[in-house]
Amino acid sequence: MEEKNTTLGEFIIENQASFQYSTGELSRIINSIRLAAKVVNYKVNKAGLVDIVGAAGEQNIQGEDQQKLDVYANEVFIQTLINREIVCGIASEENDDFITVAGADNGHNNKYVVLMDPLDGSSNIDVNVSVGTIFSVFRRVSPVGTPVTTEDFLQPGTAQVAAGYVIYGTSTMLVYTTGAGVNGFTLNPAIGTFYLSHPNMKYSEDGKIYSINEGNYIHFPKGVKDYLKYCQAEEGDRPYTSRYIGSLVSDFHRNMIKGGIYIYPTSSKAPKGKLRLLYECNPMAFIAEQAGGKATDGFSRIMEIKPTELHQRVPFFCGSKNMVEKAEEFMRNA
């Protein structure tokens, strides 16, 4: 008998009861992200044919040049979430401040906020390298019925109720967790449906891939330099393989499937690190831990960091548990 292919929609409905706040709102948020991802995927796939690649001529809050697709993806995700009337607030890496969302009755009764990096790795679009979307969902802490506050967004990662990413690559995948494991869904472009293709995704405890921009080696702290020497030493199952795409979603996705560690440390050029705690590190840390991996800032658990600002940056060590712990050992002993 042929095995039934489970669609993302069916999976959400079947697993809704296992979510501790099963009111249907979270399911609708995931469905909204699914819809926005399909729209962005369409644009990404024809990026070379239309005037959608290259810089938009503006900079985001971090002082980085915004790509045209950055701006487009940001608008698509924000509008899709607002139109569905299911969130009370949205924070995006591309926006200076958070967005307060009121319902049709002008009330503020929705319970969830979404934080996102709408197009991670967008500088790679021009050269046809995989990019992605990262998202994180929290329950608000401000009283229902009132506009959201900064505190709704400045929650530690341990308070996340869902997180995920979409990778726009040779195939388009949506990977997410609600705290009960990690599942991946692949888009069938012929019919526009996501199917469960990677159930219960897991990191191996050990891996043989390390992902870091070695071009910045001279700027790295001693602990990171020592760990890289360890990775490159001819001993045991080493040297490890170096693989670095420069798109967090792509590097993370490969390492989760094959086993490896991703590192974006502090450096003399980026003394606080480069990745954003709220839009990149927290959601990826939640996914990593749910898949049996580990995510730290080199010393302590990413998800226990109490954020102090919307665009806070932190160093990021993430991947197979034993590899992250070995890197931490070098950091402590440096």
Side-chain angles (χ1 to χ4, degrees):
M1 190 172 143
E2 192 178 318
E3 192 178 330
K4 174 177 170 282
N5 286 325
T6 304
T7 67
L8 175 56
E10 289 167 343
F11 184 87
I12 288 170
I13 292 165
E14 286 166 14
N15 291 275
Q16 192 168 292
S18 66
F19 179 63
Q20 67 181 106
Y21 309 109
S22 55
T23 58
E25 287 166 296
L26 185 71
S27 301
R28 286 163 61 208
I29 290 172
I30 301 293
N31 272 322
S32 292
I33 288 166
R34 171 183 67 172
L35 174 62
K38 286 199 284 190
V39 175
V40 172
N41 175 67
Y42 176 72
K43 282 288 189 193
V44 168
N45 283 344
K46 63 177 202 173
L49 300 173
V50 294
D51 185 29
I52 197 74
V53 296
E58 293 180 14
Q59 292 188 329
N60 64 15
I61 183 68
Q62 288 87 22
E64 298 163 339
D65 290 335
Q66 285 182 310
Q67 304 296 308
K68 290 175 187 172
L69 260 175
D70 272 331
V71 176
Y72 177 80
N74 194 41
E75 288 171 357
V76 167
F77 276 93
I78 288 171
Q79 280 312 127
T80 306
L81 288 165
I82 289 174
N83 292 346
R84 291 290 183 94
E85 297 186 3
I86 42 176
V87 296
C88 52
I90 302 167
S92 166
E93 183 179 305
E94 298 301 326
N95 292 37
D96 296 6
D97 207 350
F98 63 85
I99 298 165
T100 301
V101 182
D105 57 356
N106 235 12
H108 298 273
N109 299 316
N110 291 323
K111 302 183 185 75
Y112 295 97
V113 296
V114 172
L115 299 90
M116 63 179 179
D117 180 352
L119 206 64
D120 173 75
S122 56
S123 60
N124 284 320
I125 279 280
D126 294 13
V127 291
N128 211 9
V129 169
S130 298
V131 294
T133 296
I134 307 171
F135 64 91
S136 175
V137 184
F138 289 85
R139 273 176 73 87
R140 66 185 301 170
V141 291
S142 58
V144 173
T146 62
V148 287
T149 67
T150 310
E151 294 309 307
D152 291 309
F153 300 94
L154 298 184
Q155 299 186 59
T158 48
Q160 290 174 102
V161 296
Y165 61 83
V166 183
I167 182 167
Y168 310 101
T170 47
S171 58
T172 294
M173 277 188 71
L174 190 155
V175 176
Y176 83 100
T177 181
T178 56
V182 179
N183 293 281
F185 301 81
T186 300
L187 178 66
N188 178 342
I191 55 177
T193 303
F194 282 96
Y195 286 96
L196 178 61
S197 55
H198 294 63
N200 198 24
M201 297 176 80
K202 290 285 181 191
Y203 268 101
S204 57
E205 285 207 336
D206 291 292
K208 293 189 176 179
I209 296 171
Y210 67 97
S211 307
I212 188 170
N213 184 354
E214 289 187 76
N216 287 329
Y217 181 88
I218 192 72
H219 302 288
F220 291 153
K222 183 177 184 301
V224 173
K225 289 178 177 174
D226 291 345
Y227 178 67
L228 291 181
K229 286 174 191 162
Y230 167 85
C231 291
Q232 294 158 358
E234 276 193 281
E235 196 177 317
D237 62 347
R238 289 171 283 135
Y240 296 148
T241 300
S242 173
R243 291 282 183 271
Y244 186 72
I245 297 167
S247 169
L248 171 60
V249 168
S250 303
D251 282 311
F252 179 98
H253 185 72
R254 180 203 52 243
N255 289 356
M256 181 160 62
I257 290 172
K258 295 197 168 184
I261 184 172
Y262 176 92
I263 303 174
Y264 208 114
T266 57
S267 68
S268 53
K269 290 204 302 185
K272 294 182 178 177
K274 189 187 175 196
L275 300 181
R276 290 77 180 174
L277 174 61
L278 297 183
Y279 311 113
E280 294 164 316
C281 301
N282 264 341
M284 290 312 210
F286 190 20
I287 297 165
E289 289 190 10
Q290 285 295 314
K294 188 169 184 180
T296 78
D297 64 359
F299 300 95
S300 52
R301 187 182 175 204
I302 285 289
M303 293 216 296
E304 289 177 355
I305 297 171
K306 177 70 176 88
T308 55
E309 53 183 295
L310 282 176
H311 297 281
Q312 184 172 341
R313 299 174 192 255
V314 290
F316 194 51
F317 295 68
C318 179
S320 296
K321 188 168 174 281
N322 292 344
M323 294 185 84
V324 174
E325 288 177 353
K326 177 59 78 173
E328 286 182 302
E329 192 182 304
F330 279 101
M331 292 297 287
R332 283 194 302 271
N333 295 334

